[in-house]
Amino acid sequence: DVKVTQSSRYLVKRTGEKVFLECVQDMDHENMFWYRQDPGLGLRLIYFSYDVKMKEKGDIPEGYSVSREKKERFSLILESASTNQTSMYLCASLRTEGSSYTFGSGTRLTVV
Amino acid sequence: KNQVEQSPQSLIILEGKNCTLQCNYTVSPFSNLRWYKQDTGRGPVSLTIMTFSENTKSNGRYTATLDADTKQSSLHITASQLSDSASYICVVSASGRRGKSTFGDGTTLTVKP
């Protein structure tokens, strides 16, 4: 089975800090995604990548950037963390459009 | 605008009972529909994926149906167990919209002993 590993389960950061969320997948999938999940809003797409060094904006990219230097690793960067970025962040990978997403366990980020 | 609506928002049932969750969508052109189970504090886990030509797919006690004409799907859970308590999320993908699936808000199921 594909495994998607997110580096931290829980993270507490201060307002204004630069925050890195790391995600690694072990099955050579082309596509990787970052979502945030908030109560009542479901999963919202922040960014996705369909190849190394390629990225596309999702529905809510403001305040975030991403990096994909290697196929297996997709990083989400909060340039200057704000309290409204307190959320659950989920990374996912996808082999093809017709397959199922494999999600990581999530990172619960709190910005204080 | 592509939308996925799930109902009910939440549901409480007794252990051993059956239940059915609904998903209506307006995503077009339709590519596939996925159901996921998400335990509290964890990432979603895939239950089923269905394409246009499939109208039923089972995964153990979970059976998903798809009516592409009415743009409706259901997830039926048979003989519920306490471990079925979770959020169930319907995800619909459109052809040609790389990476941009539409997620429903989920149905929260609570199974009580």
Side-chain angles (χ1 to χ4, degrees), chain B residues 15 80-86 110-113:
Chain B
E15 187 178 11
S80 60
Q81 300 176 358
L82 298 179
S83 59
D84 292 331
S85 295
T110 303
V111 180
K112 294 198 168 183

Side-chain angles (χ1 to χ4, degrees), chain A residues 8 13 15 25 27 39 41-42 48 50-52 67 81 91 96 112:
Chain A
S8 305
K13 295 292 182 180
T15 301
Q25 52 100 356
M27 278 296 288
L41 296 177
F48 72 99
Y50 53 89
D51 203 350
V52 175
S67 171
C91 175
T96 66
V112 297

Side-chain angles (χ1 to χ4, degrees), chain A residues 9 31 33 35 37 40-43 45 48 50 56-58 88 90 94 96-101 103-106, chain B residues 9 31-32 34 36 38 41-46 48-49 51 87 89 91 93-94 97-101 103-105:
Chain A
R9 289 295 313 279
N31 307 288
F33 306 80
Y35 295 90
Q37 185 176 32
L41 296 177
L43 273 78
L45 180 64
F48 72 99
Y50 53 89
E56 284 196 27
K57 293 180 180 179
M88 168 73 108
L90 289 162
L94 184 70
T96 66
E97 290 294 322
S99 58
S100 288
Y101 293 91
F103 285 89
S105 295
Chain B
Q9 189 172 25
S31 175
N32 60 65
R34 308 169 173 108
Y36 288 85
Q38 184 177 22
R42 311 293 297 188
V45 174
S46 177
T48 64
I49 179 169
T51 59
S87 179
I89 302 170
V91 184
S93 298
R97 296 193 72 240
R98 190 209 299 259
K100 294 189 178 181
S101 299
F103 286 73
D105 289 343

Side-chain angles (χ1 to χ4, degrees), chain A residues 6-7 10 22 31 33 41 44 55 58 60 64-65 68 83-85 97 101 105 108-109:
Chain A
Q6 294 185 229
S7 54
Y10 299 95
E22 304 288 347
N31 307 288
F33 306 80
L41 296 177
R44 293 180 291 167
K55 62 185 179 184
I60 51 164
Y64 303 94
S65 62
R68 192 154 181 216
T83 54
N84 63 12
Q85 292 179 309
E97 290 294 322
Y101 293 91
S105 295
R108 173 76 63 184
L109 173 67

Side-chain angles (χ1 to χ4, degrees), chain A residues 73-93:
Chain A
R73 186 181 296 271
F74 191 34
S75 303
L76 179 69
I77 304 153
L78 286 67
E79 297 291 341
S80 177
S82 63
T83 54
N84 63 12
Q85 292 179 309
T86 291
S87 185
M88 168 73 108
Y89 289 87
L90 289 162
C91 175
S93 75

